[in-house]
Amino acid sequence: MFADKSLECQGCKKSFVFSSSEQEFYSQKNLTNEPKRCPDCRLARRMKNTGKSMDLCSQVPCDKCGINCLVPFKPSGIKPVLCSSCFHEAKISAASTG
Ligand SMILES: [Zn+2]
Ligand SMILES: [Zn+2]
């Protein structure tokens, strides 16, 4: 089984957690490379690649675990916001039910 792993982001040099659920997700997708950047840097890169401004991003607490996460939109306050690991977990548990 997978265990949470601490990796160093090549972008901001901060360490981030490559969670067991993310590792599971990666292996399901046959992705053998570990993420080189933390979720924040990955998002920043994605925003840049799609030509969107980081101004659209906001830092909000995850509805599930409470950690601050960066999202590529302004939260409406209606929908709960999940951090990337809770989002993956929700996706995986949704996929594995039934
Ligand atoms: Zn980073
Ligand atoms: Zn979370």
Side-chain angles (χ1 to χ4, degrees), residues 61-97:
C62 169
D63 190 59
K64 219 168 154 189
C65 67
I67 64 158
N68 275 328
C69 54
L70 202 61
V71 292
F73 54 86
K74 298 274 180 221
S76 57
I78 300 163
K79 268 189 175 180
V81 174
L82 295 179
C83 69
S84 53
S85 32
C86 289
F87 184 75
H88 280 313
E89 248 164 56
K91 219 155 124 183
I92 289 161
S93 59
S96 60
T97 359

Side-chain angles (χ1 to χ4, degrees), residues 3-54:
D4 285 5
K5 229 184 203 180
S6 185
L7 300 175
E8 188 188 274
C9 171
Q10 289 191 354
C12 63
K13 303 289 174 196
K14 276 193 277 192
S15 62
F16 65 98
V17 175
F18 186 30
S19 71
S20 51
S21 56
E22 275 178 299
Q23 291 173 51
E24 202 177 325
F25 178 79
Y26 267 59
S27 79
Q28 280 171 359
K29 296 264 173 202
N30 288 321
L31 300 169
T32 47
N33 293 326
E34 292 178 340
K36 294 201 167 42
R37 287 177 175 79
C38 70
D40 287 3
C41 287
R42 270 182 270 162
L43 179 63
R45 255 169 78 92
R46 203 160 66 217
M47 295 297 281
K48 219 177 141 194
N49 287 343
T50 50
K52 285 183 188 147
S53 159
M54 280 302 284

